[in-house]
Amino acid sequence: MAGEEYQGRVGIAREHMPVYKAAIGAPDSLAPPPEGMKWLKTYADRPDNRGLFPFGTWTEWWTRHQQIGMAGWVGKQTPEESLEACQTWGVEHLAKYEGPKPFVRETVYP
């Protein structure tokens, strides 16, 4: 995920800042129009909480999620394997959680 190909796509779409140095200054990263800029506007226009935070065991969930996801970032797993592991952990963790469930009040993405 931190390699040149993936980070090149991040530079083109511009949903986030690329972390791979070659991708930051690549011609595709600098050329307008950015494909993903619409999402930054969507996020800015919708400041309501759309994520899992806050809920009672968020810190435990996030800490473990980061540990699991790191395997995909450093190449110990494929991105697909890492995503599956993160999703499995999330389902297991939230199934044990007895407090109010995280929710989304309305559709986030147009």
Side-chain angles (χ1 to χ4, degrees):
M1 293 179 123
E4 187 171 0
E5 182 178 354
Y6 182 88
Q7 290 298 304
R9 280 300 314 161
V10 171
I12 291 168
R14 312 236 182 98
E15 296 101 346
H16 304 285
M17 180 73 167
V19 296
Y20 191 79
K21 286 183 181 181
I24 292 172
D28 286 342
S29 292
L30 301 174
E35 293 176 10
M37 289 299 280
K38 64 181 178 249
W39 297 120
L40 296 178
K41 178 166 177 16
T42 298
Y43 301 151
D45 289 344
R46 300 196 41 144
D48 57 313
N49 182 14
R50 298 179 303 275
L52 293 173
F53 182 79
F55 65 98
T57 58
W58 183 87
T59 303
E60 177 189 346
W61 171 83
W62 179 243
T63 301
R64 183 71 180 121
H65 178 80
Q66 284 184 306
Q67 293 168 351
I68 294 169
M70 188 57 65
W73 282 103
V74 299
K76 291 182 180 177
Q77 288 181 322
T78 67
E80 293 81 11
E81 291 168 335
S82 179
L83 176 61
E84 179 64 32
C86 286
Q87 289 175 330
T88 299
W89 161 246
V91 169
E92 288 173 9
H93 180 78
L94 292 174
K96 295 184 298 186
Y97 179 61
E98 295 182 8
K101 301 297 184 201
F103 67 93
V104 176
R105 288 184 292 277
E106 55 187 274
T107 303
V108 174
Y109 301 106

